Amino acid sequence: MLQRIVKPVLLLVLLVLTKHTYATEGMWLPQLLSGLNEKEMKGMGMKITAADIYNINKGSLKDAIVSFGGFCTAEVISEQGLLLTNHHCGYDAIQKHSSLQNNFLENGFWAKSAVEELPNPGLFATFIVRIDDVTKAALQDVTPGMSERERQSAIDKRLNEIRQNARRESWQETMIKPFYEGNQYFLFVTETYRDVRLVGAPPSSIGKFGSDTDNWVWPRHTGDFSMFRIYAGKDGRPAPYSKDNVPLKPKYALTISLKGVKQNDFTMVMGFPGRTTEYLPSEGVKQTVDVLDAAKVEMRDAALKIMDGYMRKDPQIKIQYAAKFAGTANYWKKWMGEMQGVKQTNGVGKKLQYEAAYRQQMEANPVWKQKYNGVLDSLNGYYQQVQPYAQARDYYSELVKNVELFTVGDRLITFLNDVHERGEAQYETMRQQFLASMQGFYQNYNAKVDHDVAVSLIALYAKGVPAQFAGAEFTQIWQENNKDSRVLTDKLYAVSGLTSMDKLTAFVQQPYNTVVAQMWKDPATRLVMAMRKGYVDNVSRPLADLQSNINNLQRTYMQAQMDVMGNKKSFYPDANSTLRVTYGKVDGYNPRDAIHYDFYTYLDGVMEKYVPGDYEFDVPARLIELYKKKDYGRYGVNGKMPVCFIASNHTTGGNSGSPALDAYGHLIGLNFDRTWEGTMSDINFDPSICRNIMVDIRYVLFIVDKYAGCTRLIDEMKLL
């Protein structure tokens, strides 16, 4: 009887889950497309097969996609190893090559020949060779009743064996990642190339047009792209940088389509999305948007206002802090959008409806009820318990990240702890390594800026973190300075030995035991040690115990959902920086009442936003000239130059630089952002407002060709 009579709430949710409209949610593993997604993708208009996307026997789309530096995605667009990625993905490399004399951030950079392409130490590009399911072997020794630590230890032992026995070439590497909260494991065989050179980048007035005001916003008019090239040894294999290296001959290079897109066209994005948590229980979603996002936004908002003030006044500080400001602002704005999006789409309410449907289904089946009864309720209960610890964690991490003096102090403590573990005989060698690692940091450090950031953030930390979590040592220092962040900060920056490279060098040139003793006398390191001790003792350790219980229950709940609701929906694994495919359709959306956004923007919109001399909305004279003449070459359409478009592909951080592909697998755009209202897709994808933002490939080619005149790059590509 229970299976035939369905309550209204259950009926509502099941109707949503079983609708055969193309919801476009999901970040799918490419090797599983043929079994899970190919039929739906073809129904949406895809003209190629799953084997054209992922194939280990011949070149396929996966062989053109790379993890760019481990933080973005890039794609191969020529038979000479030319890479296309976002401007903001290449930003750090462009900045490091920039100076006041040769400001590539402001003026752009275009290598007119291979000789002018610039090396980037530490930057790499990783291809996926093969993906294997190793779940059975990985979980072979796992038994019921194991603690989380015992379980992970048993798995780690098996994973080491799997890596050692994996079939691969000598120059290839392996990694194994958990999926579905650790219910499945996949092995990735990879090839990593470490000679990646900067080839071209537009000026920031194109590549970062709109800057932080337009970040996460639609309509968008940003030419967010840059170009690099992979170099290999003469045998075509990965090799460290050498002048003798040659451009890589890839297994597969993307073909570029100049056709453009129209409403409801099929689109596909391939890349390496970083992290999502789509299967959180309702209490986890509430905690994220009501508590944790709010704390992080508060801290970053204060830091950004101070950095922005200095950057607008001083060109040198603008160069030093450009990448840091962009990185800080990126997630600050994302978290605000996430909070708004979940509220606007009733994300928590829908999660509660889903949980009610899950309970009804689970309780109607005696086997499931015996196995999973109480799991969801316990999981929600643990999220309630963990909330104050998680909030204190986020305040602490934001303080240490955004006050650079504290970042140095934290690195110094870690360095000295490592010396203690390895023995004082290693001090000299490790000291030189530590100092070398800090050189780049101080090149982009300004103590005045950091001082003012510290004044604001220390006050917020003291207000937001109760004394029971901050610890007795921090409370004592806070009281010694009259609970006044400016008094405390003035003392730190006036006396500390961490405010410059010269001071830090002099500080650690002393004998090891002297440095350890001086750590308690330097006010900055004393404060950092106090905060670190308070965090470890009062937050990190109890949080780890609670998190262990959450991890256990989250894994069980994940399997429960797949068992109980599996006949109603397909489940994709959360993003974890592995290669994924997402697909959707070109479409506008309605962000608010009486507002509709179209799916395309044009160069006309750039000129409408143009503010002469403004660091966010200035436009290069050359671009204005081309616009006035309507000199768009073969890239314009009916006298207009397309710039960006949106679609319903499910993307996240790490998908920056991912190729946007059409129904035939041809490159039509470059993914670089999401709409602000849809940034909550990491925890709550809603097809009504979740849109990814892409720069039209024709705008990229127009800038390379007509604006920069770098036709040698155009000549490398295969254009349709």
Side-chain angles (χ1 to χ4, degrees), residues 706-717:
K706 303 295 291 184
Y707 175 86
C710 205
T711 55
R712 78 178 186 99
L713 300 179
I714 302 294
D715 293 341
E716 287 185 40
M717 306 173 201

Side-chain angles (χ1 to χ4, degrees), residues 568-584:
K568 304 299 179 184
K569 63 177 290 187
S570 295
F571 290 86
Y572 58 93
D574 271 316
N576 60 357
S577 297
T578 56
L579 183 61
R580 303 297 181 90
V581 174
T582 178
Y583 50 93

